[in-house]
Amino acid sequence: MAGIIELERVSKHYTKSIIGVDDVSLSIEDGEFVTLLGPSGCGKSTLLRMIGGFEQPTHGRIFLAGKDVTWEPPHRRDVNMVFQDYALFPHMTVGQNIAYGLKMLGVGRAERDAAVVEVLRLVGLPDKIDQMPHQLSGGQRQRIALARAIVRKPKVLLLDEPLSALDARMRDQMRMEMKHLHDKVGITFVMVTHDQEEALTMSDRVVVMESGRVAQDGRPQDIYDHPASPYVANFIGTTNFLPGGVVAADGGTAKVAVSGIELTALTDRPQRAGDVVTVGFRPEKLRVVPPEAACGNILSGRVSEVVYYGLGLRTALELDGGETIYVDSLLPDSLARSGLPPLGSRLAVAVEPHNVFVFPGGGAP
């Protein structure tokens, strides 16, 4: 079944050497919450603007609900967009801001008023209808911008870094509110962000962009637990990388030499003895074990730095082979009472084979 949004080999070339989006094909299902994630300049905002009709592709086609809208202007597409700066009209009340789009469509006064009341109830601000935008907090303005965008009941809502103007505490609150709003209204949401936490906590699917292309597309947990490349592993969360070489491989199991030891990894990528690879594992997947532990995937070294961050510790461990890795661990009461690990002390950590990433090539990010 075709999705509500279909991109067929879409590209955007500004010049021969400056390419914003490069041959992207993507299908988004009706009602999904999809996030385009990546650093500045990766093409995510350009892709969003082409879906909205604010930019036209150099090549490829864009379909909305089965209709080719590649060359249709924004007002001819059944989409709405929420911008970073909210773009509320400062001289209009909250109610007038929300009703403006309906008024332009010729919706009658009574129907407009009823729709405004209903959408304000959805975003939890029914008492703000007569206030001016400058009287609202940042979080309230964001919710009014969302209300104005969904009151017309578009097929697709496009969100361009919608939480970037909020402080950290308000961003945390708005993440959950936006997810709940999506679940209530059932509209397809397509969001652009560079914030990995936003993408992981809010989305049904995450599309990681790299240099104008799709680096990986999948559920948040799949992308986090099974990154397709060192780029994805490095951008989504924190990853320790070590250069290595495959010693032996049998089916989905590989033994890889790293930092003077051998690690066993479970991998769905074909491996061959002699291959040069990059090994990765998440700091929170490492488990502190007794220094005398001798079996399993054990790495050991000396503590070179300890950072306390409230919930736990990030420990820098200089391995016996010379590389440094980081270990994240919750802070048990016993350790809180006894103090942090002293610098220079020996520490051993273990990692389960299914938590070891093996990527082809030796170039870690």
Side-chain angles (χ1 to χ4, degrees):
M1 180 184 295
I4 189 74
I5 298 171
E6 293 284 343
L7 306 180
E8 290 187 357
R9 305 197 66 175
V10 171
S11 296
K12 179 66 176 183
H13 295 190
Y14 294 104
T15 67
K16 288 184 178 180
S17 59
I18 302 176
I19 300 174
V21 172
D22 188 13
D23 198 25
V24 168
S25 294
L26 187 66
S27 178
I28 297 175
E29 297 300 318
D30 191 17
E32 274 194 300
F33 194 136
V34 174
T35 295
L36 307 177
L37 175 69
S40 297
C42 71
K44 59 188 187 298
S45 292
T46 301
L47 196 60
L48 190 79
R49 291 177 63 83
M50 286 193 290
I51 294 172
F54 299 98
E55 290 194 36
Q56 279 69 50
T58 308
H59 306 289
R61 296 195 298 172
I62 300 170
F63 294 85
L64 178 63
K67 177 185 177 183
D68 189 338
V69 297
T70 308
W71 306 110
E72 297 282 1
H75 68 274
R76 297 283 296 275
R77 305 186 187 201
D78 197 1
V79 303
N80 227 333
M81 193 158 183
V82 177
F83 298 93
Q84 294 182 39
D85 59 0
Y86 317 138
L88 298 176
F89 299 117
H91 60 287
M92 292 184 182
T93 66
V94 164
Q96 290 167 341
N97 263 282
I98 296 172
Y100 181 80
L102 296 176
K103 185 177 181 180
M104 293 298 100
L105 290 174
V107 177
R109 176 66 178 270
E111 188 177 346
R112 291 201 311 267
D113 290 347
V116 169
V117 169
E118 171 62 18
V119 78
L120 280 173
R121 183 190 63 79
L122 274 176
V123 299
L125 295 174
D127 59 334
K128 304 298 182 183
I129 190 167
D130 294 321
Q131 291 196 1
M132 304 299 290
H134 73 268
Q135 296 176 297
L136 306 176
S137 68
Q140 289 171 338
R141 288 196 295 273
Q142 179 58 273
R143 280 185 276 177
I144 297 305
L146 286 167
R148 186 178 64 178
I150 65 175
V151 73
R152 292 173 52 184
K153 299 181 180 178
K155 286 187 171 69
V156 177
L157 184 63
L158 307 176
L159 303 120
D160 185 11
E161 300 272 7
L163 306 183
S164 61
L166 303 178
D167 61 46
R169 189 169 185 176
M170 183 56 67
R171 280 200 304 273
D172 288 343
Q173 179 181 336
M174 282 301 300
R175 284 172 191 155
M176 293 301 99
E177 291 192 12
M178 284 182 59
K179 181 59 178 170
H180 293 156
L181 181 63
H182 169 262
D183 294 341
K184 289 177 184 176
V185 300
I187 295 171
T188 304
F189 280 23
V190 183
M191 181 177 75
V192 156
T193 185
H194 63 274
D195 188 311
Q196 55 178 287
E197 193 170 343
E198 284 180 17
L200 293 175
T201 57
M202 297 168 66
S203 314
D204 300 318
R205 277 170 59 205
V206 177
V207 179
V208 184
M209 301 286 296
E210 178 185 14
S211 302
R213 289 179 170 266
V214 175
Q216 191 169 355
D217 175 3
R219 298 185 308 159
Q221 56 267 43
D222 292 336
I223 287 181
Y224 189 84
D225 291 335
H226 305 286
S229 66
Y231 170 85
V232 175
N234 193 48
F235 195 81
I236 305 286
T238 303
T239 303
N240 294 299
F241 293 103
L242 295 172
V246 177
V247 176
D250 181 14
T253 302
K255 289 192 178 295
V256 185
V258 294
S259 195
I261 63 165
E262 285 187 10
L263 291 180
T264 299
L266 299 181
T267 174
D268 55 4
R269 299 181 180 91
Q271 309 292 339
R272 295 181 304 175
D275 284 351
V276 175
V277 295
T278 296
V279 171
F281 39 84
R282 305 285 190 187
E284 74 275 10
K285 301 296 186 182
L286 295 170
R287 174 172 50 88
V288 177
V289 296
E292 64 273 13
C295 60
N297 281 358
I298 307 295
L299 301 109
S300 60
R302 295 191 179 277
V303 175
S304 60
E305 185 180 12
V306 180
V307 177
Y308 169 70
Y309 60 91
L311 289 176
L313 300 176
R314 169 160 289 185
T315 302
L317 185 63
E318 185 178 334
L319 300 177
D320 294 334
E323 301 92 346
T324 296
I325 63 172
Y326 295 91
V327 183
D328 287 350
S329 53
L330 295 178
L331 191 60
D333 289 341
S334 59
L335 185 55
R337 290 192 297 271
S338 64
L340 306 182
L343 298 182
S345 61
R346 294 285 303 177
L347 190 68
V349 293
V351 58
E352 297 295 329
H354 65 272
N355 289 324
V356 180
F357 310 140
V358 182
F359 303 112

